[in-house]
Amino acid sequence: MATSGHTTKAPQSAADEGLAADVRAPLDAAITELRTGARAWSLLSLGQRRTLMQRLRVSTGAVAAEWVDTAATSKGLAPGHPLRGEEWLSGPYAALVALDAYADTLGALAAGRSPIEKARLGTAPGGRTVVHTSPLTATDRLLLSGYSTEVWLQPGVTAAEARRTAGLGQREPAASGGVGLVLGAGNITSIPYLDVLYELVAFNRVSILKVNPTQDAMVPIFERALAPLIEPGFLRIVRGGGDVGAYLTQHPSISHVHITGSEATFRAIVWGTGGAATRRRREGRPLLKAPISAELGGVSPIIVVPGSWSRADLRFQAEHIVTMRLHNSGHNCIAGQVVLISADWPQRREFLHELRTAYDRAPSRPVWYPHSQSRLDAARASYPDAAWCGGGTRALVETTETDAADLETTEYFAPVLGVVTLPGTGQEFLDAAVHHANDRLTGTLGANVLIDPVTQAALGDGVEHAIAELRYGTVALNAWTAFGFLTPTATWGAYPGGTLEHAPSGMGVVHNAFLLDGVERTVVRGPFRPFPRSVSSMIGGRALSQGSVLPKPPWFVTSRTGAAVCEGFTRFRIDGDWAKMAVTLMKAFGA
């Protein structure tokens, strides 16, 4: 890293064209200030860094309500809208639990302990080491009853090695990672916040954060929430479009780039555009000189394993799938897009009826993300027989595997849900669905599997082997992979193997509050049934699936009390008031 105290001026390049000197100057100045901040960070002890996380917790809690109101309003959710709860969980809640987890890790390292010294370790198919990453506290067991996460490490990483290497950059806190560029996501408000934290804690890298223009209204809130990082020069936040982003990616003082966005944007950053980009790729000469990590989305499958389901099961799992698609109006990199269902399941028609009903009745909301309407128009053109639900704002496409090309290769990033029928039942169907997801769907970010307890018990180890075979960075069993995003001690990112030439879902991971090395994937497990029906999963005192003492999850788009419960969960993370939490839990049972 350069150490000069003078502003470094980036060389003139194609990225500079159209970027006026009065725009470049403050960007250069911000990077110079960050270079000083990088040196200051390298001098902080682990204990001081832990204290900084606690200060961030206070400043973030102080703006939580304004954060949610600004985010919800920018997405067209008026006060009182039932889906405002999404902004509590995917905004300040996600930030607060991450800060607590990073503080715990820094505290362990400061005391000379491994961050996973107290974590339970196990094994998975192929001899993989498994780190059980949640729940870790009694509070987690109550608020998120029945849900758990575990991180599977890459084959060959032993338990002893996992304990020894956990800590990443904090094992050498004085080694500076320089100044990084974070190109923030435009859909979920906690993403840029969390990406900046991970760069700092995992790699000792201070950041210049360029927010996506869709989140410009959030900048004043980010500035107050992240003031403990901004004041000492560990963070600078800037606005701007693609021209500003292009200038920053080519700046000589940027040591690393992290982006959450589209694969097209990633390719433009790495290789450029037009004929010159084609030549660079052919010759192996990337335009980008700094290393890059990325989270780029993809087409996420929902594998529905046939079994004997009650009518309540059919309805609950239909609402579960609808939530996977309609959360944030479908503007999610992890939104479920393709339901893989058995043609030989006797309950297939009944389930599809429940799915169509839930998809149509989910609360109305704007389709707000830029260019979403053109994506919906493309779906209408590709699938003229699609059912249009929710007042014509969401498409449900039922098709066969031979006619599903667009659904399986195009991330719509809009409320388009496909249903693809495959043959078989039992293990035969599950294996076929896994291969279909691996070979036909674009991306490797997340896959979801729904299976009833009796069928899961009958298949035995076959389910675990299917999870191992799925080439996805997060696999959720009877849960949505977004739960892995929300859990700070889980990891979030593409399945390993992405390259500059081919990275459909990106490269690297984020969150990862235990700072684990050698990560392969996160596995999320949830209850097939909510309380009280979850009791039926206990047969002869033996749990056939994850039990739960909670009713319908508050993040379901069909939850009547979701907004109040999600707000209550977040406020509890801020103040720890159990009396108020008791009221929130009573509201949860009214869902």
Side-chain angles (χ1 to χ4, degrees):
M1 181 190 74
T3 58
S4 169
H6 299 290
T7 299
T8 300
K9 178 176 173 57
Q12 290 295 114
S13 69
D16 298 340
E17 293 180 5
L19 196 62
D22 61 342
V23 177
R24 295 197 303 270
L27 299 175
D28 293 341
I31 292 173
T32 295
E33 293 163 357
L34 286 166
R35 291 165 63 196
T36 301
R39 293 192 292 276
W41 173 261
S42 70
L43 299 175
L44 292 185
S45 69
L46 293 172
Q48 289 171 321
R49 295 175 186 191
R50 181 176 185 273
T51 299
L52 183 61
M53 296 299 116
Q54 295 169 329
R55 287 183 57 208
L56 283 164
R57 195 185 197 288
V58 174
S59 59
T60 299
V63 300
E66 185 180 357
W67 179 331
V68 170
D69 184 63
T70 301
T73 300
S74 71
K75 297 177 181 182
L77 300 180
H81 195 286
L83 296 181
R84 277 198 163 210
E86 293 179 359
E87 299 307 318
W88 282 100
L89 283 190
S90 65
Y93 180 96
L96 290 163
V97 294
L99 290 167
D100 286 344
Y102 286 129
D104 287 346
T105 287
L106 289 165
L109 290 167
R113 296 183 282 107
S114 169
I116 59 171
E117 181 179 87
K118 297 181 180 180
R120 181 166 60 92
L121 273 61
T123 58
R128 294 169 172 87
T129 296
V130 173
V131 182
H132 294 271
T133 53
S134 74
L136 299 172
T137 67
T139 299
D140 291 341
R141 292 184 183 92
L142 175 62
L143 299 189
L144 304 171
S145 175
Y147 292 86
S148 66
T149 63
E150 58 203 49
V151 172
W152 292 16
L153 303 181
Q154 295 178 23
V157 179
T158 66
E161 185 180 358
R163 290 190 181 94
R164 185 177 66 254
T165 59
L168 296 180
Q170 298 313 302
R171 296 174 62 238
E172 296 185 62
S176 175
V179 178
L181 167 64
V182 172
L183 297 171
N187 58 332
I188 296 294
T189 55
S190 65
I191 292 178
Y193 182 112
L194 295 174
D195 289 349
V196 163
L197 278 184
Y198 191 64
E199 287 289 290
L200 188 63
V201 178
F203 306 114
N204 294 317
R205 192 152 46 229
V206 301
S207 294
I208 182 167
L209 165 64
K210 192 198 82 66
V211 297
N212 187 292
T214 63
Q215 294 202 14
D216 277 352
M218 290 294 302
V219 170
I221 296 162
F222 286 153
E223 288 174 339
R224 279 179 282 144
L226 293 165
L229 297 185
I230 295 171
E231 290 162 1
F234 304 153
L235 173 67
R236 290 292 181 265
I237 303 174
V238 299
R239 294 178 173 92
D243 54 349
V244 171
Y247 178 76
L248 291 172
T249 61
Q250 293 296 306
H251 200 289
S253 290
I254 293 296
S255 59
H256 181 272
V257 175
H258 177 78
I259 176 176
T260 300
S262 70
E263 186 183 5
T265 302
F266 174 83
R267 290 196 303 266
I269 290 171
V270 175
W271 303 103
T273 58
T278 302
R279 289 192 298 274
R280 289 190 194 96
R281 293 188 70 168
R282 185 173 59 246
E283 297 167 3
R285 295 185 300 102
L287 177 67
L288 181 69
K289 304 307 178 186
I292 188 170
S293 56
E295 193 267 85
L296 306 176
V299 175
S300 294
I302 307 164
I303 299 172
V304 180
V305 183
S308 181
W309 294 11
S310 69
R311 184 174 180 182
D313 292 337
L314 294 167
R315 183 177 299 116
F316 177 78
Q317 294 300 346
E319 293 179 6
H320 196 179
I321 290 174
V322 167
T323 296
M324 297 181 197
R325 178 69 266 182
L326 293 184
H327 180 280
N328 201 30
S329 203
H331 309 315
N332 283 336
C333 58
I334 198 56
Q337 182 164 305
V338 174
V339 180
L340 299 176
I341 194 169
S342 169
D344 303 312
W345 186 23
Q347 294 179 289
R348 180 176 64 88
R349 290 185 180 277
E350 189 179 358
F351 177 72
L352 291 178
H353 170 73
E354 293 290 351
L355 183 63
R356 285 191 294 269
T357 300
Y359 199 56
D360 191 49
R361 291 183 179 176
S364 297
R365 66 179 303 164
V367 178
W368 62 271
Y369 203 78
H371 311 300
S372 294
Q373 189 56 53
S374 64
R375 296 186 179 100
L376 291 174
D377 292 342
R380 192 183 299 272
S382 297
Y383 299 101
D385 296 329
W388 286 84
C389 306
T393 60
R394 34 188 105 134
L396 180 61
V397 181
E398 297 178 34
T399 186
T400 64
E401 59 180 313
T402 57
D403 297 322
D406 287 349
L407 277 172
E408 297 185 333
T409 59
T410 301
E411 181 189 10
Y412 278 99
F413 214 71
V416 177
L417 179 63
V419 178
V420 176
T421 303
L422 304 175
T425 59
Q427 192 70 48
E428 177 190 11
F429 169 80
L430 180 55
D431 290 344
V434 166
H435 289 303
H436 189 95
N438 284 340
D439 299 338
R440 297 282 295 272
L441 273 59
T442 293
T444 66
L445 189 59
N448 312 272
V449 180
L450 303 178
I451 183 170
D452 69 90
V454 172
T455 302
Q456 183 177 348
L459 298 186
D461 290 343
V463 176
E464 294 302 301
H465 286 285
I467 292 174
E469 287 296 316
L470 280 164
R471 296 192 296 271
Y472 287 84
T474 299
V475 177
L477 188 70
N478 291 329
W480 180 24
T481 47
F483 191 90
F485 171 91
L486 194 65
T487 304
T489 47
T491 58
W492 185 252
Y495 190 76
T499 65
L500 294 181
E501 292 76 17
H502 183 69
S505 284
M507 304 162 61
V509 300
V510 292
H511 303 180
N512 187 23
F514 280 146
L515 304 181
L516 298 169
D517 201 6
V519 168
E520 181 183 69
R521 76 182 81 208
T522 281
V523 175
V524 180
R525 301 179 193 269
F528 181 76
R529 301 181 176 102
F531 184 84
R533 293 189 302 110
S534 55
V535 176
S536 67
S537 298
M538 299 289 294
I539 298 178
R542 181 168 63 92
L544 296 183
S545 73
Q546 305 266 114
S548 179
V549 298
L550 291 181
K552 181 187 297 182
W555 54 85
F556 269 37
V557 294
T558 51
S559 174
R560 293 192 300 270
T561 60
V565 174
C566 292
E567 178 179 353
F569 278 14
T570 308
R571 292 194 181 279
F572 178 76
R573 295 292 186 180
I574 295 171
D575 59 27
D577 189 322
W578 278 105
K580 294 178 182 177
M581 189 67 239
V583 174
T584 295
L585 290 174
M586 286 190 287
K587 291 178 181 178
F589 279 88

